[in-house]
Amino acid sequence: SIGQVHGARLRDGSEVVVKVQYPEAERQFHIDVDLSIRLAQALAPHYVDILRQLKRTFATEFDYRREARLQREAHERLRGVSRVAVPRPLDADHPLCRGKAAPLDRGLVTKRVFAMERLRGRPIDQWAADHVRDLSLREGCSTEEVLARIRSM
């Protein structure tokens, strides 16, 4: 884990969720991967390229601004899908931040802090399990068979 998630309430009473990155998480990640690469160079050179790719891939995970942009995009794309909700980040485009005085006008998203709307509802894993079960009942097969078909897609 690179941080913690907390529930909070804004002054206006809005419930939000705030992700806070551990102060040394990114630095520690780079130290660990760099040491692993050096060790692989000496003991298992065939893993060096894999570790370098891992480092490049995961390096983007430490920028919550990027995550907020992707989440806003998911919110926009899925807003018309019934019974699916993606929380909006409290970025500069969020109605609670737009038109406010500095620093709130920039939103509540930084490289290491990410605030978003809190949504109450069913977790997606429960929703998916119910849909798999319903599909298996409709088609007269087991949930394992439905999952096998989904995995093969």
Side-chain angles (χ1 to χ4, degrees):
S1 172
I2 66 169
Q4 294 182 341
V5 178
H6 302 277
R9 190 176 305 277
L10 300 179
R11 288 183 180 166
D12 72 354
S14 301
E15 286 187 277
V16 297
V17 173
V18 182
K19 292 175 64 171
V20 181
Q21 194 175 121
Y22 294 126
E24 296 295 317
E26 185 173 14
R27 185 172 87 63
Q28 192 61 52
F29 168 79
H30 288 288
I31 289 170
D32 290 349
V33 174
D34 289 342
L35 286 172
S36 297
I37 289 170
R38 282 191 225 142
L39 186 62
Q41 287 169 333
L43 301 175
H46 53 284
Y47 287 114
V48 171
D49 287 338
I50 294 168
L51 289 168
R52 286 185 178 140
Q53 180 60 39
L54 175 98
K55 182 177 179 178
R56 282 190 298 274
T57 302
F58 279 93
T60 61
E61 295 298 313
F62 295 96
D63 189 348
Y64 287 167
R65 296 168 299 197
R66 178 181 178 276
E67 184 176 344
R69 284 190 301 273
L70 293 173
Q71 188 162 313
R72 175 162 292 286
E73 184 178 319
H75 170 81
E76 296 299 326
R77 289 180 183 217
L78 295 171
R79 95 163 111 196
V81 178
S82 69
R83 298 174 36 189
V84 173
V86 176
R88 290 180 295 180
L90 270 73
D91 56 11
D93 293 329
H94 193 282
L96 290 175
C97 301
R98 208 173 334 157
K100 301 289 186 200
L104 193 56
D105 64 332
R106 292 188 302 270
L108 299 174
V109 177
T110 67
K111 186 174 192 280
R112 293 185 36 230
V113 177
F114 178 10
M116 69 190 85
E117 299 171 327
R118 179 173 195 143
L119 300 181
R120 303 278 182 177
R122 292 177 51 216
I124 195 163
D125 59 336
Q126 288 177 7
W127 174 85
D130 288 347
H131 281 276
V132 167
R133 188 195 68 245
D134 292 347
L135 188 56
S136 71
L137 291 172
R138 267 197 314 271
E139 296 187 6
C141 60
S142 70
T143 56
E144 291 78 18
E145 290 170 309
V146 171
L147 290 171
R149 280 200 319 257
I150 291 170
R151 287 186 196 103
S152 70
M153 293 179 164

